[in-house]
Each structure stands twice: as structure tokens, then as C-alpha cells.
Amino acid sequence: MMKKYLWSFALSAIVLAGCGKKEEPVAVAPAPVVSAPAAAPVNTEEKVLNIYNWADYIPEGMIATFEKETGIKVNYDTFETNEALHAKLVAGNSGYDIVVPGSVFAKPQIEGGLLQALDKSKIPNLSNLDAPIMATLAAKTDPANKHLVPWAWGFTTVGINKTKVAKALGKTPMPENAWDLVFKPEYTSKLKSCGIAYLDSPTEIIPVALHYIGKDAYSNDPADYKLATDMLAKVRKDVRIFSSTMIDDIAGGKACVAIGWSGDINIAAARAVENKSKDEIESLLPSTGALIFFDTMAITKDAKHPNNAHAFIDFYLRAENAALMSNEMNYPTANKAGVPMVKPEIAGNKTIFVEADYFAKMIPPSSFSNEAREAMANAYNSFKKGK
Ligand code: N2P
């Protein structure tokens, strides 16, 4: 809109300047006074935007489309864990304009002043978002939705190479609760032969372990972490990989069972099909529920390109871009306007867009105090070392 207005204004100035050449001076009627509409200030930022997002989370070509449309050059870096992003934000001067923390970390980051409030007037496509999801985020993480815009959501669960797991289990039937596959020695002792992989992050593993032993997944009590690591210690020798390349590890056959993220497991499953593998990969829905996460875009407090950041957030919130993310990355979108454009095979996949009755069983995200996160990291690291 603004661009168009400036362009037509400039054009009329040129046209006017070209009039009335070397003629006799004539009386010129005063130009009508046109008051300009209250316009947004012109974006004078250098045409650069630095984004830091999770690996394997953006559809191919999306950045190129944005760059072409806006002339803004995007530097796009990726991280594998909330801890890695958090450390960069706490250190300051990360150089990133947009970051995508999980809501569990976004809450303390907002409270710690690491993220800036959004200028919602620059993000008209916010209206595309799902109101109940935004209300949940406002209630639990980001009062009045001042800082965060959902990128995607999903859940932490168990992924398997069905073919290899069946073989390794032999006569032992699949457990009713899929978490047994990664936490119960009866199963891990068999599955270690084809490879057990855990995500390599304290705040991914300790919460699912807490959930498994019947504790609050978001307990802030270090005594509970001790109970979780006591359970984990029993299967430690069976865990082959602490993975930051889960899609490759599952699709490439290094792991036959994993604690991973729903979409990444589905990407591995799709890759196995593409590669005409005879192995079938599946994201499971444990009977006791899986842990939901929300990953959210935010602008860093010290962002050098906040206008470009707002432009990108609005671009990403277009319905068609949100749908593209779901279609290619296998994560559900919180963009309500985008949902009708999601391919039926993705929208109908119960391990991507879970059905209401399973959703009701899932564990919603909460958050940890800084002290709790530190205690959790210590507990996790000693578990990891204690082979
Ligand atoms: C990236 C998925 C990130 C999910 N592929 C965990 N927040």
C-alpha cells in the first residue's frame, strides 16, 4: 500500500515537472493541498534479517520467496535445542532479529527481558491465528500475546522403525504404553541391538521421564529429577545415541526407536518411503499421552532489524505459508486460515493433527524456573555420563 502510494506520488511529481516548458509565464493555479494518509514510517533499515530457528522447520524456497518480494537478505541459522538458543540470548548480542524458542523457554526469556514486545500494527496477519491457541499462550506464557507468534506446534513422543523393532522384540509383543520402549529395561535390553536414540537435551528428556514415572512433567522440584534419573539409570547402558540429527538417525537406520518430535519422525517416515525402504517408520501415540510443545517466533530485545523482522513475521503468517509449513514439515499449524490449505493426507494424519480424544490426553507445556533448569541440566548430565 505504502509503496504504491509513494510510487504514484513520485510519478505525479515527475509528470508535473515536465509541464509548461519554455512558454511565457502563465498564472499557475496553486496546487491543491493533498494531505497524505497517516502512513507508517518508511523502513530505513539495511535490507538484512537474521533468523535463528530449529533445524528442519522451514519449507524449501520460503526464504527465497521472501527475499525476492522484499529485497531483504535473510541469514538463516539453525539450532537443535532450546538450551542452545537460550545460551545465545542470555549472552546477548546474538546478532539475531528473530528467534523461535519453545514456549517452555519463551516464558523465562520474556520475563528476563530478552525479547521485545511486538508492534501488532505491523502484523495484520495475526488475525489468521487460531484464537483458542493464542488464548492458551496468553494465559500460560505470554500475557496479552505481546511477544510471541506461533511457528508450529507438535509433541515429543516415541518414534519407531516398525520393521526393525518387531524383529528385535521377537516374541515380546509391543507394549501398550509406547514409552515402555524407551524406558523399561524389559524392552530396551532387546531394542539396544537396533539402536535407541534420545534427544540430546535435559528439558526434553527429564520431562518425559517425569511423566513416565507418574510425576508432573513440569515439576520444578529437584527431588523429582532424582527420581527420574534413578529410573533412567536403569536403561542408560541401552541408549546408543544422544541425537541432534534425529531425522537422519531414524531414516538412515542408526536408530530403530527414539524419543523425538512428532514432525521429525514423520519426515523420517516420508523419507523412508521416498527411498523405497522396506522399513516402515512410525510416530506413536503413547497410551499415557505425549508432551505438547509450541514453538514461537519472537524478536530479540537487541534486534538491529526489527522492521524487517515484523515484515517476515507477517509474511510467515499468510495462510498459504502456514499451510506450506504443515505440508512440508509435518507439524500442525496454529494458523487457522491456513488449515483449509493443508493437504488431506497431512490434515488426516492422526500423528500430525491429532484427534480431539488423544489431544485431551496430551500434556500441555508449562515452564521451569532458572534454578530448576540448572538442577535438571545437572541431573541429565550425570545420567548421560553414567554408562
Ligand atoms: C524441528 C522441530 C522442532 C521441534 N524440526 C521441537 N521444538
Coordinates of all heavy atoms in Angstrom, one line a residue, residues 118-154:
L118 N 6.0 -7.0 20.4 CA 5.7 -6.9 19.0 C 4.9 -5.6 18.8 O 4.1 -5.2 19.6 CB 4.9 -8.0 18.5 CG 5.5 -9.4 18.7 CD1 4.5 -10.5 18.4 CD2 6.7 -9.6 17.7
D119 N 5.1 -5.0 17.6 CA 4.2 -3.9 17.2 C 3.2 -4.5 16.3 O 3.4 -4.8 15.1 CB 5.1 -2.9 16.4 CG 4.2 -1.7 15.9 OD1 2.9 -1.8 15.9 OD2 4.8 -0.7 15.4
K120 N 2.0 -4.8 16.9 CA 1.0 -5.6 16.2 C 0.4 -4.8 15.0 O -0.1 -5.5 14.1 CB -0.1 -5.9 17.2 CG 0.4 -6.9 18.2 CD -0.8 -7.5 19.1 CE -0.2 -8.3 20.2 NZ -1.3 -8.8 21.1
S121 N 0.6 -3.5 14.9 CA 0.1 -2.8 13.8 C 0.9 -3.2 12.5 O 0.4 -3.0 11.4 CB 0.2 -1.3 14.0 OG 1.5 -0.9 14.0
K122 N 2.0 -3.8 12.7 CA 2.8 -4.2 11.6 C 2.6 -5.6 11.2 O 3.3 -6.2 10.3 CB 4.3 -4.0 11.9 CG 4.7 -2.5 12.0 CD 6.2 -2.4 12.3 CE 6.6 -1.0 12.5 NZ 7.8 -0.8 13.3
I123 N 1.7 -6.3 11.9 CA 1.4 -7.7 11.6 C -0.1 -8.0 11.4 O -0.7 -8.6 12.2 CB 2.0 -8.6 12.8 CG1 3.3 -8.1 13.3 CG2 2.1 -10.1 12.3 CD1 3.9 -8.8 14.5
P124 N -0.6 -7.4 10.4 CA -2.1 -7.6 10.2 C -2.5 -9.1 10.1 O -3.6 -9.4 10.5 CB -2.4 -6.9 8.8 CG -1.0 -6.5 8.2 CD 0.0 -6.6 9.3
N125 N -1.6 -9.9 9.6 CA -2.0 -11.3 9.5 C -2.1 -12.1 10.8 O -2.4 -13.3 10.9 CB -1.0 -12.1 8.6 CG -1.2 -11.7 7.1 OD1 -2.3 -11.4 6.7 ND2 -0.1 -11.7 6.4
L126 N -1.9 -11.4 11.9 CA -2.1 -12.0 13.3 C -3.5 -12.5 13.3 O -3.8 -13.5 14.0 CB -1.9 -11.0 14.4 CG -0.4 -10.7 14.8 CD1 -0.4 -9.5 15.8 CD2 0.2 -12.0 15.4
S127 N -4.4 -11.9 12.6 CA -5.8 -12.3 12.6 C -6.0 -13.7 12.1 O -7.1 -14.3 12.2 CB -6.7 -11.3 11.9 OG -6.3 -11.2 10.5
N128 N -5.0 -14.2 11.4 CA -5.1 -15.6 10.8 C -5.0 -16.7 11.9 O -5.3 -17.8 11.6 CB -4.1 -15.8 9.7 CG -4.4 -15.1 8.5 OD1 -5.6 -14.7 8.3 ND2 -3.4 -14.9 7.6
L129 N -4.4 -16.3 13.0 CA -4.1 -17.3 14.1 C -5.4 -17.8 14.8 O -6.4 -17.2 14.9 CB -3.1 -16.7 15.1 CG -1.7 -16.5 14.5 CD1 -0.9 -15.6 15.4 CD2 -1.0 -17.9 14.3
D130 N -5.2 -19.0 15.3 CA -6.3 -19.7 16.0 C -6.5 -19.1 17.4 O -5.6 -19.1 18.2 CB -5.9 -21.2 16.1 CG -6.9 -22.0 16.7 OD1 -8.0 -22.2 16.1 OD2 -6.7 -22.5 17.9
A131 N -7.7 -18.6 17.6 CA -7.9 -17.8 18.8 C -7.7 -18.6 20.1 O -7.1 -18.2 21.0 CB -9.3 -17.2 18.8
P132 N -8.2 -19.9 20.2 CA -8.0 -20.7 21.4 C -6.5 -20.9 21.7 O -6.1 -20.9 22.8 CB -8.8 -22.0 21.1 CG -9.8 -21.7 20.0 CD -9.2 -20.6 19.2
I133 N -5.7 -21.2 20.6 CA -4.3 -21.4 20.9 C -3.7 -20.1 21.4 O -2.9 -20.1 22.3 CB -3.6 -21.9 19.6 CG1 -4.1 -23.3 19.2 CG2 -2.1 -21.8 19.7 CD1 -3.4 -23.9 18.0
M134 N -4.1 -19.0 20.8 CA -3.5 -17.7 21.3 C -3.9 -17.4 22.7 O -3.1 -16.9 23.5 CB -3.9 -16.5 20.4 CG -3.3 -16.7 19.0 SD -1.5 -17.0 18.9 CE -0.9 -15.4 19.3
A135 N -5.2 -17.8 23.1 CA -5.6 -17.6 24.4 C -4.8 -18.5 25.4 O -4.5 -18.0 26.5 CB -7.1 -17.9 24.5
T136 N -4.5 -19.7 25.0 CA -3.7 -20.6 25.8 C -2.3 -20.0 26.1 O -1.8 -20.0 27.2 CB -3.6 -22.0 25.2 OG1 -4.9 -22.4 24.8 CG2 -2.9 -23.0 26.1
L137 N -1.7 -19.5 25.0 CA -0.4 -18.9 25.1 C -0.4 -17.7 26.0 O 0.5 -17.5 26.8 CB 0.1 -18.5 23.7 CG 1.0 -19.5 22.9 CD1 1.3 -18.9 21.6 CD2 2.2 -19.9 23.7
A138 N -1.5 -16.9 25.9 CA -1.6 -15.7 26.7 C -1.7 -16.1 28.2 O -1.1 -15.5 29.1 CB -2.8 -14.9 26.3
A139 N -2.5 -17.1 28.4 CA -2.8 -17.5 29.8 C -1.6 -18.1 30.5 O -1.3 -17.9 31.7 CB -3.9 -18.5 29.9
K140 N -0.8 -18.9 29.7 CA 0.3 -19.6 30.3 C 1.7 -19.1 30.1 O 2.6 -19.4 30.9 CB 0.3 -21.1 29.8 CG -1.0 -21.8 30.2 CD -1.0 -23.2 29.9 CE -0.6 -24.0 31.0 NZ -0.6 -25.5 30.8
T141 N 1.9 -18.3 29.0 CA 3.2 -18.0 28.7 C 3.5 -16.5 28.4 O 4.5 -15.9 28.9 CB 3.6 -18.7 27.4 OG1 3.2 -20.1 27.5 CG2 5.1 -18.7 27.1
D142 N 2.6 -15.8 27.7 CA 2.9 -14.5 27.2 C 1.6 -13.6 27.3 O 0.8 -13.5 26.4 CB 3.2 -14.7 25.7 CG 3.5 -13.3 25.0 OD1 3.9 -12.4 25.7 OD2 3.3 -13.3 23.8
P143 N 1.5 -13.0 28.5 CA 0.3 -12.2 28.8 C -0.1 -11.3 27.7 O 0.8 -10.6 27.2 CB 0.6 -11.5 30.1 CG 1.6 -12.3 30.8 CD 2.4 -13.0 29.7
A144 N -1.3 -11.3 27.2 CA -1.9 -10.4 26.2 C -1.2 -10.7 24.8 O -1.3 -9.8 23.9 CB -1.8 -8.9 26.6
N145 N -0.5 -11.8 24.7 CA 0.2 -12.2 23.4 C 1.0 -11.0 22.9 O 1.1 -10.7 21.7 CB -0.9 -12.5 22.3 CG -1.7 -13.7 22.7 OD1 -3.0 -13.6 22.8 ND2 -1.1 -14.8 22.9
K146 N 1.8 -10.5 23.8 CA 2.6 -9.3 23.5 C 3.9 -9.6 22.7 O 4.4 -8.8 21.9 CB 3.1 -8.6 24.7 CG 2.0 -7.6 25.3 CD 2.6 -6.7 26.3 CE 1.6 -5.8 26.9 NZ 1.8 -5.5 28.3
H147 N 4.4 -10.8 22.9 CA 5.8 -11.1 22.3 C 5.8 -12.3 21.3 O 6.8 -12.3 20.5 CB 6.8 -11.5 23.5 CG 6.9 -10.5 24.5 ND1 5.9 -10.4 25.6 CD2 7.8 -9.5 24.8 CE1 6.3 -9.4 26.4 NE2 7.4 -8.8 25.9
L148 N 4.9 -13.2 21.4 CA 5.1 -14.5 20.7 C 4.1 -14.7 19.6 O 2.9 -14.5 19.8 CB 5.1 -15.6 21.7 CG 6.0 -15.6 22.9 CD1 5.7 -16.8 23.8 CD2 7.4 -15.5 22.5
V149 N 4.6 -15.3 18.5 CA 3.7 -15.7 17.4 C 4.0 -17.2 17.1 O 5.2 -17.5 16.8 CB 4.0 -14.8 16.2 CG1 3.2 -15.4 15.0 CG2 3.5 -13.4 16.4
P150 N 3.1 -18.1 17.2 CA 3.4 -19.5 16.9 C 4.0 -19.7 15.5 O 3.5 -19.2 14.5 CB 2.1 -20.2 17.1 CG 1.1 -19.2 17.6 CD 1.6 -17.8 17.4
W151 N 5.0 -20.5 15.6 CA 5.6 -21.0 14.3 C 4.9 -22.3 13.9 O 4.4 -22.5 12.8 CB 7.1 -21.3 14.5 CG 7.7 -21.8 13.2 CD1 7.8 -23.2 12.9 CD2 8.3 -21.1 12.1 NE1 8.5 -23.3 11.6 CE2 8.8 -22.0 11.2 CE3 8.5 -19.7 11.9 CZ2 9.4 -21.6 10.0 CZ3 9.2 -19.3 10.8 CH2 9.6 -20.3 9.8
A152 N 4.9 -23.2 14.9 CA 4.2 -24.5 14.7 C 4.0 -25.1 16.1 O 4.6 -24.6 17.1 CB 5.0 -25.5 13.9
W153 N 3.3 -26.2 16.2 CA 3.3 -27.0 17.4 C 3.5 -28.4 17.1 O 3.5 -28.8 15.9 CB 2.0 -26.7 18.3 CG 0.7 -27.1 17.7 CD1 0.0 -26.4 16.8 CD2 0.0 -28.3 18.0 NE1 -1.2 -27.1 16.5 CE2 -1.2 -28.2 17.2 CE3 0.2 -29.4 18.8 CZ2 -2.1 -29.3 17.3 CZ3 -0.7 -30.4 18.9 CH2 -1.9 -30.3 18.1
G154 N 3.6 -29.2 18.1 CA 3.8 -30.7 17.9 C 4.0 -31.3 19.2 O 3.5 -30.8 20.2

